[in-house]
Amino acid sequence: QVQLVESGGGLVQPGGSLRLSCAASGRTFDMYAMGWFRQVLGEDREFVAAIDWTGRNTYYADFVKGRFTISRDNAKSTVALEMNNLKPEDAAVYYCAAHSRPYYTAANPSSGFGSWGQGTQVTVSS
């Protein structure tokens, strides 16, 4: 089992930037893909981005393409989400997730994630 701890959330103005980080422990980090999801209170959790174990392949939800970047550092067992040009609708609790396999499924990139962090709040408001 892998343990995930997110950090980096906070309050930012529209158009601003934040960098979320997730530290993993308990399992060999470079054996599985990683992802970020988000959830607004009262709504379903939604997929944001995924990255395979190599870090070379990534996938993004349409609503963050060109604004968010997912990356990982296998030596440090961390995954990050760089968020730019933030919009009020990006406000949510952001969750880091570990996939059960080294690669996410291209046809369904949001599936296969079985381990979750506790989440970090992102608020976008002026």
Side-chain angles (χ1 to χ4, degrees):
Q1 187 73 320
V2 60
Q3 291 77 46
L4 303 170
V5 179
E6 302 96 334
S7 61
L11 172 64
V12 64
Q13 293 185 343
S17 299
L18 275 178
R19 180 180 175 87
L20 306 182
S21 185
C22 173
S25 61
R27 197 169 119 204
T28 305
F29 185 69
D30 61 1
M31 290 180 64
Y32 46 93
M34 295 292 296
W36 286 94
F37 292 71
R38 69 187 189 187
Q39 187 172 24
V40 175
L41 187 63
E43 299 182 11
D44 293 335
R45 186 155 49 191
E46 62 179 355
F47 169 80
V48 174
I51 187 167
D52 72 3
W53 75 278
T54 68
R56 293 193 292 266
N57 298 297
T58 58
Y59 190 92
Y60 298 92
D62 286 344
F63 54 79
V64 302
K65 283 181 181 177
R67 299 189 299 125
F68 290 12
T69 302
I70 187 171
S71 61
R72 66 189 293 160
D73 186 334
N74 286 345
K76 296 180 179 179
S77 296
T78 59
V79 61
L81 185 69
E82 185 76 33
M83 305 185 295
N84 297 312
N85 190 22
L86 282 160
K87 305 176 182 180
E89 53 264 39
D90 292 319
V93 177
Y94 282 72
Y95 295 91
C96 173
H99 202 282
S100 60
R101 298 186 175 185
Y103 294 96
Y104 56 84
T105 304
N108 189 7
S110 63
S111 67
F113 291 92
S115 299
W116 302 87
Q118 83 290 348
T120 185
Q121 177 72 50
V122 172
T123 303
V124 184
S125 176
S126 54

